[in-house]
Amino acid sequence: MRQLTSLDTQFLAMENQRVQGHVSVLGIYDAHTDCGRPLDAALVGELISRRLHLLPTFRWRLAPVPLSLDYPYWVDDGTFDIEYHVRELALPAPGSDRQLAEQVARIIGRQLDRARPLWEVYVIGGLDNGRRVAVLTKMHHAAVDGVSGAEVMSILLDDTTDREPDPAPPVVAEPFPSDVEMLGRGLIGLMRQPLRMMRAGPTALPHLDDVPTIRHLPGVRLVARTGRALKRVLPATSDSLTATGSGTTAPRTRFQARVSPHRRVAFGSMSLREVKSIKNTFGCTVNDVVVAICTSGLRSWLDERGELPAEPLAGFVPMSVRTAEQKGTFGNRVSVMLTELPTDEADPMQRLARISDAMRAAKERQRALPASLLQDANHFIPPALLAQAARATSRLAGMRGLNQPANVMISNVPGPSTPLYLGGARQHAQVPVSGVLDGIGINITVMSYQDSLEFGVVVDRELVDDPWTILDALRAGLSELAEHASRHTPPPEVTALHTAASPRRKARS
């Protein structure tokens, strides 16, 4: 048995009737393998079964602790019901991207069954008049983050079409614990809670006010004031590097509302080569250009509807803090940073320069914070109250008139640069499909694949009628930057950005 961390548990606690806690990857493939076999649920099921010994997250079942006295556990189920987890459906002709996106939106709007391992795979045929097949892999965020989710996909996908079937050693299932056993574990955990708080105190207390996911809670505010007092007496903490955008307040837009249970999805590819050309011209990073594309798109989209705030928007950017030693451990090793999105700036080059400055400052602040801050901060909330605290945060996030920390979630996930295959069928795109939260009703996640950037836009269905107009605005943002790059000599202050190499944590979903 493996106990979930407080951060893993938070992704369970955040779920309610309107908010889902899973993340997904949408792969687009040839309809047939190199040997002519159709890519269908039977083939995908065989592939997963052969590699089940390499996929512990596909075998884990959730074992809750009675009364939530402690964090729940994963129990290795040893196997799974293939017909339940791997499902097949087909799009009506002609099988367009919009039809696929509508089907994906319906699927991600349904929560995973906690009585089973928390994943599902959907094989969706009929795409592009039957020439292609989509495979949607849906996994709970309590088991994987962006990096560990990519590790799962790397186990399922191959870099060649002629990989031999893997020998599948038997997996020994763990006996599922009784309620009495889990109650005993919970009582032991309850006694350990003061020790957890003491261990987390030195790293978490000085920075509790820097955690946007919990700082709205009244009880945390009191502890955070104590933390701010500690900052003044801890010489190792720099005043200029104490907040991850904690002073950032998001202006009100239509996205700062309580979400419904339903979603809309849009997706599409953009040229990675074009993005890199912009990066090289202006001396910034690929991530800066991605954020600039999102900023430009949101600016024009809101402006066309007469909804553009006078103040800049704020972005909520998840990022990985997973070390090389933690590779293959699954679970969550993430942090977040808040950054300004200068939608108040009309000039695209000045906008890019401001984004580069803001992202660099946010990364410097982030490096000054403990990598385990989100996990340690949760230790100041007893497990029995974590779900209630998550619900309270959700209610506050959806309240009109209350300042929100961010308008939009933006993630940029580095992906494979070479072609991949699923059971011998070539993959043409790998699109991230994330989720939305109360108070942040839009998510833009980007993943690179070969020479493309795959954009996945997810919005609450009641807030946006057509997310494809947002995708069109993002494309226009890239075109605007590319046009300036093709004819513009950047000023010295822009070309000087990011010339000094420094370690960075990569933004991930």
Side-chain angles (χ1 to χ4, degrees), residues 16 20 80 84 156 239 368 423 435 487:
N16 55 45
Q20 300 85 28
F80 60 90
Y84 175 85
L156 294 175
D239 288 340
R487 59 181 172 81

Side-chain angles (χ1 to χ4, degrees), residues 27-41:
I28 308 296
Y29 301 88
D30 286 333
H32 293 81
T33 69
D34 63 317
C35 61
R37 181 175 176 181
L39 179 60
D40 54 17

Side-chain angles (χ1 to χ4, degrees), residues 105-411:
R106 293 192 188 102
I107 293 171
I108 67 171
R110 300 193 293 263
Q111 293 187 3
L112 293 162
D113 183 356
R114 293 195 182 185
R116 300 174 181 269
L118 295 178
W119 65 276
E120 295 169 352
V121 171
Y122 291 81
V123 182
I124 307 172
L127 183 63
D128 191 17
N129 285 310
R131 287 188 287 270
R132 295 189 178 183
V133 169
V135 178
L136 181 70
T137 305
K138 180 173 157 184
M139 299 171 283
H140 204 287
H141 216 319
V144 296
D145 57 18
V147 176
S148 54
E151 290 177 5
V152 170
M153 296 308 299
S154 70
I155 295 170
L156 294 175
L157 299 174
D158 303 316
D159 57 6
T160 179
T161 61
D162 57 0
R163 177 172 171 177
E164 292 296 323
D166 300 306
V171 177
V172 179
E174 295 178 332
F176 201 81
S178 66
D179 290 343
V180 173
E181 179 181 344
M182 295 307 298
L183 179 60
R185 287 178 178 267
L187 293 173
I188 294 173
L190 188 63
M191 292 185 288
R192 286 202 303 258
Q193 179 61 21
L195 182 60
R196 287 175 181 154
M197 294 178 63
M198 291 175 59
R199 288 176 175 172
T203 55
L205 268 176
H207 305 289
L208 275 184
D209 201 34
D210 305 330
V211 184
T213 54
I214 68 170
R215 69 172 184 240
H216 290 300
L217 295 177
V220 173
R221 290 176 185 165
L222 177 61
V223 182
R225 283 196 290 269
T226 305
R228 288 195 293 272
L230 284 177
K231 288 180 183 180
R232 294 192 288 269
V233 299
L234 292 177
T237 302
S238 168
D239 288 340
S240 63
L241 300 176
T242 53
T244 308
S246 61
T248 303
T249 299
R252 174 64 61 176
T253 73
R254 67 168 68 191
F255 301 114
Q256 279 55 74
R258 186 170 297 183
V259 298
S260 75
H262 311 297
R263 307 290 172 255
R264 295 187 195 270
V265 174
F267 61 87
S269 300
M270 300 187 199
S271 170
L272 179 58
R273 183 177 301 175
E274 204 167 21
V275 168
K276 287 183 176 179
S277 176
I278 297 168
K279 168 191 79 83
N280 294 334
T281 299
F282 298 110
C284 56
T285 68
V286 167
N287 201 47
D288 292 341
V289 180
V290 168
V291 174
I293 291 170
C294 296
T295 302
S296 176
L298 289 170
R299 170 185 161 83
S300 62
W301 191 87
L302 289 169
D303 193 33
E304 287 175 1
R305 288 154 181 79
E307 300 175 12
L308 180 65
E311 305 87 356
L313 299 185
F316 184 95
V317 183
M319 56 196 309
S320 174
V321 293
R322 188 178 298 272
T323 64
E325 293 75 20
Q326 293 167 339
K327 182 179 180 180
T329 59
F330 301 102
N332 287 273
R333 305 283 181 177
V334 295
S335 185
V336 295
M337 64 181 182
L338 297 175
T339 186
E340 178 188 87
L341 306 178
T343 48
D344 58 328
E345 176 58 64
D347 183 82
M349 294 301 95
Q350 291 297 324
R351 200 184 305 140
L352 178 59
R354 283 177 60 181
I355 286 170
S356 294
D357 288 339
M359 291 294 289
R360 180 173 53 183
K363 290 172 184 176
E364 289 174 354
R365 290 193 298 265
Q366 187 67 30
R367 283 195 291 271
L369 298 176
S372 61
L373 177 58
L374 290 185
Q375 183 168 301
D376 291 340
N378 284 336
H379 288 159
F380 289 92
I381 306 174
L385 298 180
L386 188 60
Q388 290 89 329
R391 285 192 289 269
T393 303
S394 181
R395 285 194 299 270
L396 290 170
M399 287 178 60
R400 291 195 172 275
L402 185 69
N403 290 336
Q404 306 297 332
N407 300 98
V408 55
M409 286 185 281
I410 301 175
S411 300

